[in-house]
Amino acid sequence: MSTAPRRRVLLGISAGIAAYKSAQLARLLKQSGCEVRVVMTDGAQAFITPLTLQALTGEPVRTSLLDPEAEAGMGHIELARWADLILIAPATADLMARLAHGHADDLLTTLCLASDAEKAMAPAMNQAMWRQPATARNAHRLTEDGWRLLGPDSGDQACGDVGPGRMLEPEAILGALAAPADRPAEGVRVVITAGPTREPLDPVRYLSNHSSGKMGYALAAAATALGARVQLISGPVALPTPAGVERFDVESAGEMHEAAQRLAGGCDLFIGCAAVADYRAEAPAEHKLKKRHDEDTLTLRLVKNPDIIAAVAARPDRPYVVGFAAETRELAAYAHDKLTRKHLDMVVANDVSRAGLGFGADDNAALLLWREDETTGQADLPPQPKADLAEAVIRRALARLAD
Ligand code: C5P
């Protein structure tokens, strides 16, 4: 799920000691922009009070199916329809059993049965209960029914035992929800170039550009989350390496080209997202260039850099090749030109003149062009966070790859 603003989350709390962490979870969900309504089972109220959750969410907490007052407002069916996501944390062994068998004997189970929303639960119980074949059967059945099971974690338990059954920490629950549920890129190796290049003029100066690397890093994170093995060839940027990504730091286009050639052989998908300098100094000075007092101009002689992505696309063992096109006008025409001239399979074209999008920004929009047998496929991806756009691009490329 994306924790994008205005997601409507129905947070179900059942009777586990981990319920005290549900307060923090409600807070984090609110902070990430979700609307949150809480439903508690009878047993849950022995561990944490509805008042706590009401204060944190700013909404009345529902506890009973047979509550005439509540039914006069948002009745249980409306509540079931209201939710985009039903998240149960903690989910006890008993609640899992009841849900696995389709029971509707209290408000929470009834809502689950009455709702078509996305459903996720964070199981929490004693390690022996989690290990029971009956619980394993229920967990399996719930997964088959479309529930996402988040955790449980392993470690110290409130009862003194050590083992699997701890509820995931609220931060980890949010992280797991943000990750895609499927892994269509399992077994796929992806090589991505990202960021700017630096072309030395002398030992202290270089030619470069404003690329932040955010889009390339978002692509690397998205491909990893979808199950790919990702190798990221990165120019100098101020970004942390996304978890699970192998990063290769380079500076110049020449170094990037060499790394790309080394890694591209046998990879399935190559994405050129780097803003590669088109030219470099023909002969970088060995020592710092001194200011000339007798002349007002300085002439630098530049030579063309290798076209990294075109060289990958020209390999006999070429992977599926996706390029980027940053344009300020005639987006479709220039993107189409890039697709054919560089022999790419797909082009992601951004209009970098649009305020708040593209270079350095957190959001981006794109026009996607790809080769189809004799024609060109096309899709418009509207302005959205770079992380979402990255996932959409990877999914499209994977779909084309599978064709
Ligand atoms: O030619 P242009 O720079 O507009 O093309 C952009 C695409 O080509 C991007 O995918 C970029 O990463 C790639 N590129 C490259 N090597 C270059 C120049 C661009 O891989 N020398």
Side-chain angles (χ1 to χ4, degrees):
M1 104 160 186
S2 118
T3 44
R6 287 177 299 285
R7 279 224 78 180
R8 295 192 297 241
V9 182
L10 197 149
L11 176 61
I13 305 177
S14 64
I17 177 59
Y20 79 93
K21 294 185 184 172
S22 308
Q24 173 69 351
L25 180 59
R27 232 178 126 240
L28 291 176
L29 286 166
K30 287 277 287 184
Q31 276 170 0
S32 74
C34 298
E35 283 179 55
V36 183
R37 285 172 183 257
V38 176
V39 171
M40 297 174 74
T41 64
D42 285 346
Q45 297 165 61
F47 292 95
I48 184 168
T49 71
L51 192 61
T52 307
L53 277 307
Q54 181 174 314
L56 289 170
T57 60
E59 297 286 343
V61 171
R62 300 282 303 270
T63 54
S64 165
L65 182 58
L66 308 171
D67 177 350
E69 219 168 277
E71 290 299 312
M74 192 186 260
H76 71 277
I77 296 295
E78 279 168 88
L79 198 52
R81 290 193 187 129
W82 170 87
D84 296 323
L85 168 70
I86 295 183
L87 169 63
I88 303 181
T92 59
D94 176 66
L95 185 70
M96 287 176 69
R98 286 189 290 135
L99 288 171
H101 291 89
H103 288 204
D105 49 5
D106 64 3
L107 179 60
L108 186 53
T109 49
T110 304
L111 286 171
C112 291
L113 213 53
S115 172
D116 290 327
E118 191 184 331
K119 297 186 183 95
M121 64 168 69
M125 65 199 72
N126 166 268
Q127 53 84 23
M129 293 169 83
W130 175 254
R131 289 185 213 267
Q132 286 300 328
T135 307
R137 269 198 308 277
N138 292 334
H140 182 70
R141 181 175 283 190
L142 288 164
T143 312
E144 279 184 343
D145 288 350
W147 281 87
R148 283 179 77 180
L149 263 59
L150 315 173
D153 221 343
S154 216
D156 291 340
Q157 302 206 299
C159 53
D161 280 5
V162 179
R166 276 170 63 92
M167 188 172 90
L168 282 190
E169 293 301 325
E171 291 79 5
I173 291 177
L174 241 70
L177 285 172
D182 56 342
R183 289 172 68 81
E186 200 85 62
V188 171
R189 181 159 71 87
V190 184
V191 177
I192 299 173
T193 67
T197 64
R198 280 183 187 167
E199 310 302 328
L201 300 177
D202 68 17
V204 295
R205 302 185 181 93
Y206 54 80
L207 287 174
S208 191
N209 58 65
H210 287 300
S211 169
S212 65
K214 281 183 184 169
M215 192 63 221
Y217 275 60
L219 286 162
T224 307
L226 291 169
R229 173 180 173 200
V230 177
Q231 295 172 314
L232 177 65
I233 306 171
S234 176
V237 297
L239 294 172
T241 311
V245 168
E246 285 171 71
R247 172 168 158 181
F248 301 82
D249 284 321
V250 296
E251 295 239 330
S252 66
E255 288 171 14
M256 190 174 272
H257 177 59
E258 198 196 302
Q261 283 299 316
R262 191 159 34 84
L263 297 173
C267 87
D268 304 286
L269 174 60
F270 182 93
I271 306 180
C273 190
V276 184
D278 290 326
Y279 295 92
R280 67 179 183 279
E282 184 175 41
E286 195 184 330
H287 297 287
K288 187 179 170 195
L289 292 168
K290 301 306 283 179
K291 187 162 31 181
R292 301 266 300 261
H293 297 290
D294 51 344
E295 283 194 48
D296 285 341
T297 60
L298 171 72
T299 305
L300 287 172
R301 195 172 158 78
L302 303 178
V303 291
K304 248 196 187 146
N305 268 328
D307 193 311
I308 299 168
I309 200 167
V312 170
R315 291 174 66 104
D317 60 348
R318 61 175 283 160
Y320 192 84
V321 184
V322 180
F324 272 69
E327 307 292 349
T328 53
R329 64 198 169 97
E330 294 186 57
L331 199 59
Y334 284 125
H336 195 266
D337 170 65
K338 220 152 281 183
L339 192 69
T340 44
R341 191 165 37 81
K342 299 195 184 205
H343 300 288
L344 308 181
D345 297 298
M346 182 180 281
V347 169
V348 184
N350 331 110
D351 181 348
V352 287
S353 66
R354 291 173 69 176
L357 299 177
F359 266 168
D362 291 325
D363 283 10
N364 212 348
L367 172 72
L368 237 59
L369 292 183
W370 62 86
R371 267 171 211 283
E372 262 166 18
D373 301 332
E374 297 297 307
T375 56
T376 310
Q378 186 168 328
D380 249 316
L381 303 177
Q384 55 194 300
K386 282 183 175 171
D388 294 349
L389 192 84
E391 187 182 327
V393 168
I394 300 281
R395 282 189 188 278
R396 289 268 178 178
L398 289 172
R400 300 296 310 156
L401 202 64
D403 271 357

